[in-house]
Structures are given as C-alpha cells and as structure tokens.
C-alpha cells in the first residue's frame, strides 16, 4: 500500500490567523531582543506585559517564535517570573515558546468590577545565534482565555553577527 504525506503551511498575518478573536488594549505586550553574551553568540529575549482589568483574575496564553537564525539556549533565571500579583512563564518546544500570564487579587481584596488595576511583569529566555544574518522576529501573542481577545508585540528584525 502506498502512503501519501502532505505538509501544509498557513500564511497570513496574526490578526487573520486569530480569526474571530479581537485585539484589545486590556493587555499590551512588548518583545525585545538584546545581546546577552556576545562572545558566545547569546541573546536575551524578553516579553514584557501590562494588563489593565477590573476582574479579580485573568489568564492569558502566551506564545512566541524564536527567529529562524537562532536556537533556544536556556530559560533566563527560572521558568517563572513573579511581579506584584502576576506571574508569567515560557517553555520551549522547538522554535516555539509557549506559556502563560496569570494575574490575581488576594482573596481579602476581591474587588471584581469595582476597581481597575494595572499589573506589569516580564519573562525572558536566552537564544543562541546559529547562522549569521538578519532575520524576522515574529510577534509574541497573548490571548485572554476568558474573552478570546489578543495582543501582539511588534514584528521586527533580529541580526546575528
């Protein structure tokens, strides 16, 4: 018996790929790539977030793509970053980083629907330049699990020297 294998690729911008989800200002994410150890060809990728909400808790899935000219090296510090009543983490799966952002109020200060609060934090990981050149740094994406709304970091370029 003969077998047929097919590989498909979806090519569209993130807004189109996310379909009926909608962009929101409730969460803003920013992605930066900076030299970490130039002698070893290492770079630090940081995904920062700002969440504004009047809810007592929110959970966002977080996804990032490592640029084509680089490979995952290691997490920066530990896998979790904690800020005032928020945490974020990313784990590696090939060229993709997946994780989450979670924000909460302490049980004794539950004010859902009464007070808007702002939560900030970041999570980082280290990549190694594998091939010299300039590469696209795709947007990091945060999706609110409750509403389906999303936020994208800016798409940019990344140079391996």
């Amino acid at each position: 018996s003969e077998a047929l294998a097919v590989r498909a690729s979806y090519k569209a911008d993130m807004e189109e790929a996310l379909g009926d989800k909608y962009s929101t200002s409730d969460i803003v994410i920013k992605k930066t790539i900076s030299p970490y150890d130039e002698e070893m060809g290492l770079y630090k990728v940081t995904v920062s977030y700002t969440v504004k909400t009047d809810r007592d808790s929110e959970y966002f899935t977080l996804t990032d793509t490592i640029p084509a000219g680089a490979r995952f090296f290691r997490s920066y510090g530990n896998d979790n970053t904690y800020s005032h009543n928020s945490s974020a983490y990313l784990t590696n799966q090939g060229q993709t980083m997946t994780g989450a952002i979670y924000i909460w109020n302490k049980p004794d200060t539950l004010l859902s629907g009464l007070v808007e609060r702002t939560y900030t934090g970041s999570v980082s990981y280290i990549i190694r330049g594998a091939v010299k050149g300039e590469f696209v740094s795709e947007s990091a994406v945060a999706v609110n699990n409750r509403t389906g709304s999303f936020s994208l970091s800016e798409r940019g370029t990344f140079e391996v020297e």
Side-chain angles (χ1 to χ4, degrees), residues 22-138:
Y22 58 92
S23 182
T24 182
S25 61
D26 292 347
I27 182 170
V28 175
I29 59 173
K30 181 180 178 184
K31 176 179 169 180
T32 57
I33 302 176
S34 57
Y36 179 72
D37 183 333
E38 294 184 71
E39 187 175 307
M40 291 185 63
L42 301 178
Y43 300 84
K44 180 180 171 185
V45 180
T46 300
V47 178
S48 305
Y49 59 89
T50 301
V51 176
K52 292 181 181 180
T53 184
D54 66 352
R55 298 188 52 84
D56 288 326
S57 66
E58 289 282 12
Y59 184 87
F60 300 85
T61 56
L62 182 60
T63 307
D64 191 19
T65 304
I66 298 170
R71 299 295 176 260
F72 178 77
F73 185 70
R74 67 175 172 80
S75 296
Y76 181 77
N78 59 28
D79 289 336
N80 295 303
T81 300
Y82 293 94
S83 182
H84 181 69
N85 289 4
S86 72
S87 80
Y89 74 92
L90 284 168
T91 59
N92 177 249
Q93 299 172 346
Q95 288 296 100
T96 303
M97 301 296 292
T98 58
I101 298 168
Y102 179 63
I103 61 100
W104 67 92
N105 287 327
K106 295 178 182 177
D108 60 340
T109 59
L110 299 180
L111 298 169
S112 187
L114 301 175
V115 177
E116 183 175 83
R117 294 190 172 133
T118 300
Y119 305 85
T120 60
S122 65
V123 61
S124 300
Y125 59 95
I126 306 298
I127 58 176
R128 178 183 53 82
V131 179
K132 290 183 179 186
E134 185 175 68
F135 301 92
V136 172
S137 173
E138 294 294 345

